[in-house]
Every structure is written in structure tokens, then in C-alpha cells.
Amino acid sequence: MKEKILIIGAGGQIGLELTENLSKSYGNDQVIPSDLKSEGNFANNPYEQLDALDKDALFKIVKKHGITQVYHLAALLSATGEQNPMFAWKLNMESLFYVLDLAKEKHIQKIYWPSSIAVFGPTTPRENTPQYTVMEPSTIYGISKQAGERWCEWYFKKFGVDVRSIRYPGLIGWKSAPGGGTTDYAVHIFHEALKHNHYTSFLSENTALPMMHMEDAIRATIELMHAPSEKIKIRGSYNLSGLSFTPAEIANEIKKHLSEFRIDYAPDFRQAIADSWPKSINDQEAREQWGWKEKYNLEALVKNMLENIKL
Ligand code: NAD
Ligand code: AKB
């Protein structure tokens, strides 16, 4: 069957790169990016303006294009979610139900929905955090992702919905601007380094967090979506690890390329969020079950970002 893919929230950090990547494999006409924004950056694809909370509009677009797969990316992230908790809950949960129901009712065949390391909380073991462990998230974003994982598994078990998910760490890419996340300091730092040779970090010097180059994350997403169904043993969401570093460590790596670069630290409300998350992730299930392996370490990531960011 020829796949037709709808990407919801395609105008964000992940969506822009995923649209580009899927279009290369499936063809521009087979990939339909959509977002709240009236115009997308998608001259080559049939773009749709769509509010993920508009169930009827979503259904019409699915029928109009004969959609077979949905990548549902629209969400409020950790920092913006804490500023607007009730709306974060509404957006992150209700839009997921609409997509899961489309599959339950057999209008679409496959769903990708991202979770996050934000599902973990202050009572989770922070080093080498395993797939199965204590999970008491302390942000609305994390609570919505944890609940979303449970709903995905429930729809799989109850109705056979083919839904797949990854708990992304902080993602770092050069093709788009940072969004409303706590890990986004590690994207912003490159733009400020190149513009001003200076960055004020909203996380403290020694705050280690799990991170990943966007290219690795997109490849993982597509590999998971292409994996044979019987290999996908986890229908909540997979731990996935790339690398871990602190603001001081990434700053030191940037200094190897920009010797004048300086960093200051002025932690704000996002410090408490970062302090509740793991420092590193154990992803043995993803490695064993569908062959995940990252490409980028810190050295390669910093080099790649500095070479590619266009101001
Ligand atoms: P982003 O904030 O850059 O992009 C989100 C996109 O969704 C934006 O283009 C926004 O306009 C769109 N959107 C918001 N509300 C919408 C609505 N009502 N209808 C349609 N579109 C809407 O986020 P991102 O970094 O690309 O993240 C995408 C997904 O991946 C999210 O679910 C996020 O939780 C998850 N994730 C991201 C990271 C990361 O580091 N970027 C890490 C873990 C999980
Ligand atoms: C955020 O910081 O909110 C995201 C995430 C790790 O989910 N980047």
C-alpha cells in the first residue's frame, strides 16, 4: 500500500526535519505537513493549516488525503506547559485521543507519538535510568506524557492500534529555532555563541541532562516506525539514549572552536524542572528489540552545529 503521512505540529523543531526526511523517502506529495500556523515552510508539500484540537477538521484532512499514518507532534513542552498548565493538559491529551480514535476506527493504520524523559521525576533513579522504574513526574508536561504513554498502550492492547513512541531526551538540531523546552538551552547556546560569543545559561553549570542530535532522533523515529510489529514489545514508549552533558561541558567543547566564547549562569524556574529529570538514560530495550544505536557524541555534535547554523 502507498503510504500517505500526516504530520501534526510539523512547523516545530522535530516536524520540520521529519517532514524533510519523510518526503525524501516517500515523495513530497505523500507527506502532508500541518500546523496551527497559516503558512508553513513547506513549499514542496501539500500543507494544511490544522488545529490539533479541532477533531472535525482533523477527520476531514485524513479523509481528503487518504491518510494512512499520523505523526502527532503538537504539544506544549515543559517550560511553556508550566506557564499554562490547564491548556498544556488539554492540548497534549485531547489531541492524542483524537488521533488514537482515528486508528481505533480504522481510518488510519499507524501512529507515531513522542513521549519524553519528562515522564521521570525527582523520585526516579537519576543515573542510567532504566525503562521500568519509579515515575512520578512533577511537571504538567511530564504528567501528560506519562498519561499519554498509558493511553497508547491501552489502545494497543484493547483495540490493536499500531502506535509507536520514543521518550526523547533533549534534542539538538541546527535547522530550526529552539522551542519551549528546558533542554533548549543546548540549542540556544550555539546561536548566542555564534552571534555574541556569550551565553547566559538558565541552568546551572553542573546540570547533566540526556541529549541527542536531531539527526539521530529522526533516524530513530523512522527506524522504529519501519520495524516489524512483532519487534515492538513496548507500546507505552521506549527509553532512548544519545549522550549526556552539562552546560559547562558543552561550553568547553564550543570553546575549542570559538576561543573567545564565555558562559554565565543565571538559573531560573527551569532549573527545578531539570533537577527532577534523569542525568542519563538506559535504553537497552530499544537497542535489543529494534537495533537502536546513536551516531553523535559531544565532539561531533558541537562541530556539526557550529558548521551548519546559519544566522
Ligand atoms: P515545538 O514546540 O518546536 O513544535 C511544536 C509545534 O506544534 C509548533 O510548530 C506549534 O505551532 C505546533 N502546535 C502547537 N499547538 C498546536 C495545535 N493546537 N495544533 C497544531 N499544531 C500545534 O516542539 P518540538 O520540539 O518539535 O516537539 C515535538 C514533539 O516532540 C512534542 O510532542 C514534544 O513533547 C516532543 N519532544 C520534543 C523534545 C525536544 O527536545 N524537542 C524532547 C522530547 C519530546
Ligand atoms: C523539554 O525540555 O521540554 C523537551 C523534552 C526533554 O521533552 N526538550
Side-chain angles (χ1 to χ4, degrees):
M1 184 191 25
K2 219 167 176 196
E3 302 290 351
K4 268 260 171 140
I5 300 172
L6 175 65
I7 305 178
I8 303 175
Q13 295 184 85
I14 300 175
L16 286 167
E17 299 210 23
L18 194 59
T19 304
E20 195 180 303
N21 203 301
L22 289 172
S23 298
K24 276 188 197 140
S25 318
Y26 290 91
N28 292 334
D29 291 339
Q30 303 306 113
V31 180
I32 290 81
S34 73
D35 204 287
L36 264 188
K37 302 163 191 172
S38 59
E39 283 175 32
N41 269 329
F42 305 102
N44 301 322
N45 298 76
Y47 179 77
E48 293 279 2
Q49 183 176 7
L50 171 68
D51 180 350
L53 289 172
D54 188 339
K55 189 180 182 187
D56 295 338
L58 170 64
F59 183 73
K60 278 188 193 136
I61 288 171
V62 165
K63 287 290 138 194
K64 174 179 160 191
H65 293 280
I67 298 296
T68 58
Q69 299 186 9
V70 172
Y71 287 69
H72 175 27
L73 308 178
L76 282 202
L77 278 72
S78 58
T80 38
E82 288 307 282
Q83 315 287 15
N84 199 348
M86 292 318 290
F87 183 69
W89 178 254
K90 181 178 170 68
L91 174 61
N92 297 5
M93 297 312 305
E94 284 180 21
S95 62
L96 175 59
F97 289 138
Y98 298 155
V99 174
L100 288 169
D101 280 337
L102 283 172
K104 174 188 158 194
E105 289 154 16
K106 313 279 182 227
H107 300 294
I108 58 175
Q109 274 80 55
K110 216 187 237 188
I111 298 170
Y112 179 77
W113 172 81
S115 184
S116 161
I117 53 162
V119 293
F120 300 114
T123 52
T124 302
R126 295 191 68 202
E127 307 271 2
N128 203 26
T129 303
Q131 175 76 35
Y132 303 106
T133 184
V134 180
M135 292 168 85
E136 295 184 316
S138 54
T139 59
I140 290 299
Y141 174 65
I143 295 169
S144 72
K145 290 292 184 187
Q146 191 195 29
E149 288 188 7
R150 300 293 84 229
W151 278 105
C152 287
E153 190 185 83
W154 190 80
Y155 267 74
F156 170 73
K157 286 191 169 151
K158 200 94 181 162
F159 307 116
V161 166
D162 189 354
V163 54
R164 302 171 183 210
S165 178
I166 289 171
R167 291 172 181 155
Y168 291 134
L171 302 183
I172 303 169
W174 52 266
K175 293 189 182 166
S176 55
T182 302
T183 59
D184 282 335
Y185 90 85
V187 182
H188 208 212
I189 193 170
F190 289 101
H191 293 263
E192 294 301 297
L194 288 164
K195 265 191 258 171
H196 307 299
N197 256 323
H198 176 248
Y199 180 62
T200 303
S201 170
F202 57 76
L203 297 184
S204 65
E205 193 172 353
N206 295 319
T207 308
L209 285 169
M211 300 280 187
M212 182 174 286
H213 193 290
M214 186 65 85
E215 198 181 300
D216 273 345
I218 299 290
R219 184 169 52 79
T221 305
I222 292 171
E223 284 174 8
L224 176 65
M225 285 297 271
H226 285 174
S229 202
E230 63 277 9
K231 294 210 166 193
I232 315 295
K233 309 282 185 214
I234 294 174
R235 294 294 180 155
S237 189
Y238 277 95
N239 271 11
L240 199 75
S241 165
L243 65 162
S244 284
F245 56 78
T246 65
E249 285 165 347
I250 194 173
N252 282 339
E253 195 58 39
I254 292 174
K255 272 187 209 157
K256 292 184 187 163
H257 301 263
L258 303 171
S259 57
E260 305 287 293
F261 177 65
R262 283 183 314 107
I263 184 163
D264 295 321
Y265 301 94
D268 65 13
F269 73 98
R270 290 167 281 196
Q271 183 65 46
I273 299 178
D275 287 341
S276 76
W277 288 353
K279 294 177 187 212
S280 59
I281 295 288
N282 181 315
D283 62 354
Q284 70 180 65
E285 286 80 1
R287 287 174 199 264
E288 285 165 13
Q289 292 173 17
W290 47 275
W292 163 246
K293 180 153 181 33
E294 77 285 0
K295 209 174 91 184
Y296 280 87
N297 60 17
L298 182 58
E299 199 184 333
L301 181 146
V302 169
K303 184 165 180 291
N304 176 272
M305 290 292 285
L306 291 173
E307 280 173 0
N308 286 294
I309 288 178
K310 290 169 194 63
L311 296 174

